[in-house]
Amino acid sequence: MTTLLYDGSFEGLFTAVFEVYEYKFEPAEIISKKNHQTESIFSETHEVITNEKKAKRVLQKLEANLGKKGVSQLLRVYLSEKEHAERLILSAVALSLEFPKENILNNFAHPDMMEIAKITKSMSREVHRMHAFIRFEKLQDEVYFAKIEPDFNVLPLIISHFKNRYQDQKWMIYDIRRGYGVFYDLEEAQFFEPNFDENFQLKKTGSLLHEEEMNYQKLWQRYFFKTNIPERKNLKLHVQSLPKRYWKYLTEKY
């Protein structure tokens, strides 16, 4: 067994996939360095240096065999942060090379392909919820800011939605759980990683709110309270539609 250690990036992962075949490692497993714990006497390690050309060759081959939709599914598996994500992707690559004329991702009789389908479905559900439940707050510098804590690393998958929807205003979405965010400056959206002090400030934005925002929130909370009908309250249905883990970022739930 050869264990390939990569830097955790998408390009690094597919560089590792390329090198599995380049160096004929069999059997092989791919693990990100941050998740690699102990050396094993039964496994040799191979350190992967991210190479965009190698990664691109793998992705081009996968797109030819699986189509853009198939590559998108594997991206979602990677972003799911599942412990076995690398194994599932390597399995999909192996099957796509063995059966290049078939869309192996639709082979639900294969346990790995079935697991990929389940992960893709869960990721799509989380993306949909982010589209629906993200709440922006206007800051004093007139940037609209939102905090999220999704179960999966879906921030890269929701950028285009908000970029298209809010083209005429500056906005920022920050993933508290993963410590990074994206900022749109009216032209392009860029990722950023705040330092310790900035991270603390982004978690506690109450003192940074624009006066208009504070007035709006009070108005919205009052409206929500007035329109609520206690006799028709159905908490079970409400939680099914709007899971409690999203409540702390909704203005009406403050």
Side-chain angles (χ1 to χ4, degrees):
M1 170 74 77
T2 300
T3 300
L4 291 87
L5 302 178
Y6 76 107
D7 60 7
S9 68
F10 189 65
E11 292 79 8
L13 171 57
F14 281 92
T15 300
V17 171
F18 183 94
E19 293 186 355
V20 166
Y21 292 93
E22 180 182 19
Y23 299 117
K24 296 180 172 58
F25 293 136
E26 188 178 353
E29 64 174 352
I30 301 174
I31 302 176
S32 69
K33 292 178 183 178
K34 67 177 181 179
N35 293 330
H36 186 239
Q37 298 178 347
T38 58
E39 300 287 343
S40 172
I41 61 173
F42 303 106
S43 176
E44 295 183 357
T45 59
H46 169 79
E47 185 167 349
V48 176
I49 306 300
T50 299
N51 184 305
E52 290 187 6
K53 290 183 178 180
K54 290 182 178 180
K56 186 176 181 180
R57 285 180 61 181
V58 176
L59 290 169
Q60 287 175 335
K61 186 66 175 179
L62 286 172
E63 188 171 323
N65 291 352
L66 303 177
K68 291 184 178 180
K69 183 178 179 180
V71 173
S72 177
Q73 284 182 266
L74 297 185
L75 170 62
R76 291 178 179 233
V77 173
Y78 163 75
L79 292 173
S80 73
E81 302 172 325
K82 296 287 188 181
E83 290 184 6
H84 55 297
E86 292 92 349
R87 182 186 63 78
L88 292 173
I89 290 172
L90 186 57
S91 177
V93 171
L95 283 174
S96 72
L97 294 175
E98 185 177 356
F99 305 104
K101 295 183 179 180
E102 301 177 21
N103 188 342
I104 52 89
L105 294 177
N106 291 333
N107 180 12
F108 302 132
H110 193 288
D112 287 347
M113 301 308 104
M114 186 63 186
E115 183 64 18
I116 287 175
K118 290 180 180 178
I119 291 174
T120 300
K121 184 176 180 179
S122 296
M123 289 287 289
S124 296
R125 185 185 301 115
E126 189 75 335
V127 166
H128 176 73
R129 286 174 172 170
M130 288 293 101
H131 290 171
F133 301 145
I134 280 183
R135 294 292 187 270
F136 287 97
E137 298 177 313
K138 187 177 182 180
L139 303 183
Q140 293 169 9
D141 60 4
E142 299 195 345
V143 172
Y144 288 84
F145 176 75
K147 291 174 285 193
I148 60 173
E149 290 185 76
D151 284 348
F152 310 112
N153 183 19
V154 297
L155 182 52
L157 302 177
I158 65 176
I159 294 173
S160 60
H161 170 83
F162 289 102
K163 187 177 178 181
N164 292 333
R165 187 171 183 180
Y166 303 113
Q167 297 180 33
D168 60 347
Q169 60 192 46
K170 294 181 180 181
W171 52 262
M172 183 188 303
I173 301 175
Y174 182 59
D175 187 334
I176 292 178
R177 180 177 296 183
R178 294 163 186 86
Y180 83 105
V182 62
F183 174 65
Y184 174 68
D185 62 2
L186 301 181
E187 293 184 1
E188 59 181 349
Q190 296 183 329
F191 292 107
F192 68 89
E193 292 186 21
N195 59 37
F196 179 82
D197 292 334
E198 291 170 335
N199 180 53
F200 179 80
Q201 196 172 36
L202 289 173
K203 288 182 178 180
K204 306 291 184 181
T205 55
S207 62
L208 303 177
L209 295 180
H210 196 286
E211 185 178 357
E212 289 180 2
E213 177 64 28
M214 291 188 284
N215 291 334
Y216 166 79
Q217 289 190 8
K218 291 178 182 177
L219 182 63
W220 176 242
Q221 289 165 357
R222 189 178 302 121
Y223 169 80
F224 186 79
F225 177 77
K226 292 292 185 180
T227 57
N228 185 40
I229 303 175
E231 292 78 13
R232 300 184 64 181
K233 186 174 181 179
N234 186 334
L235 184 60
K236 182 177 180 180
L237 179 61
H238 184 58
V239 171
Q240 286 178 349
S241 303
L242 182 57
K244 283 188 175 181
R245 59 193 174 91
Y246 298 105
W247 288 14
K248 58 184 172 181
Y249 298 124
L250 299 179
T251 305
E252 62 269 25
K253 296 294 186 181
Y254 289 175

